Amino acid sequence: MKVLVNRGGFEWRRTAGDHAQLYYERPTDETDKRHVTVPLHDELRAGTLRGIADAAGAHDFDDFCAWIDRNS
């Protein structure tokens, strides 16, 4: 969640229970809008992380994980 907000251009707009609601809108393309829900847990299952990557617009899960690691 922190990497998506600090390095990925997502905006943390609200928290619903123990989930952060992140939003992204590409400045040059108003049709490119994304909404990502991220559980605020210490650890995430691989399937949950894959869903976050898909919602964030990642095309390659392994590249997404490497980007998270580099920016953590």
Side-chain angles (χ1 to χ4, degrees):
M1 186 270 316
K2 290 179 184 178
V3 175
L4 289 174
V5 171
N6 294 333
R7 303 288 291 169
F10 283 80
E11 177 185 354
W12 183 349
R13 290 196 187 159
R14 67 189 190 100
T15 303
D18 62 349
H19 292 75
Q21 305 291 315
L22 308 180
Y23 295 86
Y24 174 86
E25 184 175 332
R26 182 177 295 190
T28 58
D29 182 1
E30 292 181 10
T31 63
D32 188 4
K33 297 180 182 182
R34 301 179 194 148
H35 170 249
V36 180
T37 301
V38 180
L40 299 174
H41 305 161
D42 291 335
E43 295 182 16
L44 299 176
R45 292 181 180 174
T48 302
L49 186 57
R50 188 174 299 276
I52 291 168
D54 289 343
H59 299 289
D60 183 290
F61 181 68
D62 292 329
D63 286 345
F64 177 79
C65 291
W67 177 77
I68 294 290
D69 288 340
R70 283 192 311 273
N71 290 285
S72 296

